[in-house]
């Protein structure tokens, strides 16, 4: 217990917990409370992220037409911009961890459906896949950012309801289902009184999203497109916040080296907020796509960049 106490005091003294609601971690119960706070803040982010990435111009594919694309994005709470602009202003661990955005990637294809079938004219259907590999990124100050694999799948149906000649202006409706699961974490290592202390906070999520959107856009075929959209969505799933604290040290007495290792683990689950309203907007230029998404209720924010081709 002495080596564990050293670990807990070192983390608190190091400033990581200095402004958190729980300011003195002395037991697993305190850690459970801390993880409950983190999960309670992060649950909005990952429900929002699950539906992120369905951001294409209002250019529904006609029968036999094909669109393919790929891209990268990050999604989280809009507050994560403060991590970039003023990282030193965030001194609470629950706020810090809950603001860390998660990466995602997208590979998608859309194909036009037969227009001679009733209700399928000017309609296409698409599928998307995503997998972000496991990796660790060293940061300054004894920190490390971990990605524990992120996978995604989705299907979307789009139908044009209004268009001007040549499709210069279009309005379409979209219905989509999405799944996302994965994990990210931040690891902090420090030394105090000859003891190596490691604190790892991991968020692991899994869930589903169902969304409906209305999207309007201006299109110059194969050259340029700009679009905006809005719609409600439902989220099902949750995020687990887990703390792993490890302390390892050794000392020499009477010519003998003694080593000790102590580890405690704590976790808490936060269910996704079930309802959100998503606003999307973006541009397509030649083969380049750039888009952003914002959750009006969740405060979620996603930024995306990619490439796409139409045939």
């Amino acid at each position: 217990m002495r080596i564990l106490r050293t670990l807990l005091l070192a983390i608190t003294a190091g400033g990581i917990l200095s402004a958190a609601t729980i300011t003195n971690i002395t037991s697993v119960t305190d850690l459970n409370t801390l993880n409950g706070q983190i999960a309670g803040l992060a649950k909005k982010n990952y429900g929002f992220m699950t539906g992120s990435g369905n951001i294409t111009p209002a250019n529904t594919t006609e029968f036999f037409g094909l669109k393919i694309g790929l891209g990268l994005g990050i999604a989280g709470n809009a507050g994560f911009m403060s991590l970039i602009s003023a990282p030193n202003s965030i001194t609470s661990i629950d706020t810090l961890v809950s603001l860390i955005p998660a990466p995602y990637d997208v590979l998608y294809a859309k194909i036009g459906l037969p227009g001679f079938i009733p209700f399928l004219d000017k309609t296409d259907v698409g599928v998307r896949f995503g997998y972000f590999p496991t990796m660790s990124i060293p940061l300054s100050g004894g920190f490390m950012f971990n990605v524990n694999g992120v996978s995604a799948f989705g299907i979307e149906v789009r139908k044009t309801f209004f268009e001007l000649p040549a499709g210069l202006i279009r309005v379409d409706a979209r219905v989509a289902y999405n799944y996302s699961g994965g994990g990210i974490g931040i690891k902090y290592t420090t030394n105090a009184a000859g003891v190596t202390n490691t604190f790892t906070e991991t968020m692991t999520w899994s869930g589903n999203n169902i969304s409906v959107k209305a999207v309007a856009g201006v299109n110059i075929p194969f050259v340029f497109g700009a679009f905006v959209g809005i719609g409600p969505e439902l989220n099902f799933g949750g995020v687990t916040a887990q703390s792993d604290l490890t302390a390892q040290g050794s000392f020499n007495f009477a010519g003998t080296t003694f080593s000790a290792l102590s580890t405690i683990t704590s976790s808490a689950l936060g269910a996704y907020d079930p309802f959100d309203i998503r606003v999307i907007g973006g541009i397509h230029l030649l083969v380049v796509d750039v888009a952003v998404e914002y959750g009006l209720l969740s405060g979620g924010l996603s930024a995306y960049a990619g490439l796409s081709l139409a045939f």
Side-chain angles (χ1 to χ4, degrees):
M1 291 301 296
R2 181 178 180 182
I3 196 169
L4 177 59
R5 185 186 299 273
T6 302
L7 166 64
L8 297 171
L9 291 175
I11 291 176
T12 304
I16 296 183
L17 303 178
S18 58
T21 304
I22 300 296
T23 58
N24 188 24
I25 305 294
T26 61
S27 66
V28 175
T29 299
D30 293 336
L31 277 180
N32 289 338
T33 301
L34 176 64
N35 279 296
Q37 294 169 354
I38 294 173
L41 292 171
K43 64 180 183 178
K44 296 181 178 181
N45 305 0
Y46 294 97
F48 176 83
M49 177 189 175
T50 301
S52 298
N54 280 323
I55 35 182
T56 53
N59 56 358
T60 303
T61 305
E62 303 292 344
F63 184 41
F64 278 142
L66 178 67
K67 287 184 174 66
I68 58 173
L70 55 85
L72 295 172
I74 56 171
N77 190 279
F80 75 68
M81 296 302 297
S82 59
L83 288 175
I84 301 173
S85 61
N88 293 332
S89 68
I90 301 174
T91 56
S92 167
I93 188 172
D94 48 359
T95 302
L96 170 66
V97 176
S98 68
L99 289 182
I100 297 173
Y104 67 89
D105 51 14
V106 176
L107 175 65
Y108 70 86
K110 298 180 182 294
I111 188 169
L113 299 180
F116 56 82
I117 299 177
F119 307 110
L120 295 186
D121 60 308
K122 300 178 182 179
T123 302
D124 65 14
V125 61
V127 294
R128 55 173 285 196
F129 301 92
Y131 178 74
F132 207 94
T134 299
M135 63 177 63
S136 296
I137 304 173
L139 305 172
S140 61
F143 288 89
M144 179 174 291
F145 176 67
N146 298 318
V147 179
N148 301 328
V150 179
S151 59
F153 168 78
I155 183 169
E156 182 180 55
V157 178
R158 307 187 301 172
K159 182 176 180 62
T160 298
F161 281 97
F162 171 82
E163 67 176 327
L164 292 181
L168 181 62
I169 296 178
R170 286 185 177 181
V171 179
D172 68 39
R174 309 177 181 189
V175 178
Y177 162 80
N178 298 283
Y179 162 82
S180 176
I184 62 170
I186 189 166
K187 181 179 180 180
Y188 175 71
T189 301
T190 186
N191 291 278
V195 177
T196 300
N197 309 296
T198 301
F199 174 82
T200 303
E201 187 68 32
T202 304
M203 288 180 291
T204 304
W205 69 90
S206 179
N208 306 278
N209 167 279
I210 298 174
S211 66
V212 179
K213 299 186 190 75
V215 179
V218 177
N219 297 286
I220 301 175
F222 306 106
V223 178
F224 174 79
F227 63 96
V228 294
I230 188 171
E233 56 189 31
L234 299 175
N235 301 306
F236 309 90
V239 56
T240 298
Q242 178 172 314
S243 297
D244 295 284
L245 293 89
T246 301
Q248 185 172 10
S250 62
F251 63 93
N252 186 277
F253 177 71
T256 301
T257 298
F258 295 83
S259 299
L261 175 66
S262 179
T263 301
I264 60 174
T265 298
S266 168
S267 64
L269 173 67
Y272 291 164
D273 286 359
F275 182 73
D276 201 359
I277 299 175
R278 185 181 299 259
V279 177
I280 67 173
I283 61 172
H284 169 80
L285 180 61
L286 298 178
V287 297
V288 177
D289 299 294
V290 179
V292 295
E293 305 174 78
Y294 180 71
L296 295 179
L297 303 181
S298 66
L301 180 66
S302 172
Y304 170 91
L307 305 172
S308 64
L309 292 172
F311 301 95

